[in-house]
Amino acid sequence: MSARSCAGLLLCAALAATTVAPGPSAAGPGGVDAAGLLVLPEEQVAPVPAGLVIVLHEPTGIDPRGWGYADQIAAAGLAVLHLDVLEMSADGFVPPDAADEDASALARLVAVIGLLDADPRFAPAPLGVLAFGGAAQTAARITADPAASARIGALALLYPGCDGVADRVVADDARPRAP
């Protein structure tokens, strides 16, 4: 079995038993639908998503590496939210006031989890986080946040840049708990 299949199955298994109450979305300028690229499972697969996986992309922006994972995850009945680790403008420009990228990325992920808490489609469900490369540190650090980590049911860190993440995070005194 490929690493891609294993990651998808791991996330699906961790979240598959959860159901999400149907209801109106928190769509709008500040809602989940505006936070990133939201992929919902097809109606015949899951009329109501069984959970949500945040696909956290590197600081270079959302790229096609996540599409295959999202397809597999959505086919299993889970929603997927592709998210830039840093707030970016439509042209891919990162605002110059993002001096501390680590703190900005963590604050962005915490804010998105807050949006998910306010959205009745996803509020009761634990979340999965799938992070690529440089976004792995942010994903690992979120597990040290008690409120946010209570929502995370699965965490997968993929690709180069993930090597040694746990050591670096613990060295920074952000002791992650196992989700």
Side-chain angles (χ1 to χ4, degrees):
M1 184 179 290
S2 70
R4 176 191 220 180
S5 297
C6 289
L9 290 173
L10 170 69
L11 291 170
C12 293
L15 299 174
T18 306
T19 58
V20 180
S25 73
V32 171
D33 300 276
L37 299 175
L38 181 63
V39 177
L40 296 172
E42 292 184 24
E43 185 75 20
Q44 66 269 22
V45 173
V48 176
L52 183 131
V53 175
I54 299 170
V55 178
L56 195 58
H57 291 265
E58 293 191 82
T60 54
I62 294 174
D63 65 52
R65 288 180 295 176
W67 301 157
Y69 293 100
D71 289 345
Q72 290 182 2
I73 293 167
L78 303 170
V80 176
L81 180 63
H82 290 279
L83 185 67
D84 283 316
V85 71
L86 295 173
E87 186 82 35
M88 298 179 84
S89 66
D91 63 359
F93 177 75
V94 177
D97 61 339
D100 185 356
E101 287 186 358
D102 288 342
S104 296
L106 186 59
R108 177 161 169 73
L109 185 53
V110 168
V112 167
I113 290 172
L115 290 174
L116 292 166
D117 285 342
D119 190 316
R121 297 173 295 178
F122 310 113
L127 307 172
V129 178
L130 172 63
F132 293 110
Q137 288 189 35
T138 301
R141 287 183 202 296
I142 197 69
T143 63
D145 181 289
S149 67
R151 293 291 316 282
I152 298 170
L155 177 65
L157 311 178
L158 304 177
Y159 294 123
C162 297
D163 293 338
V165 167
D167 295 335
R168 287 193 301 269
V169 170
V170 171
D172 291 343
D173 204 29
R175 311 219 185 274
R177 68 162 186 83

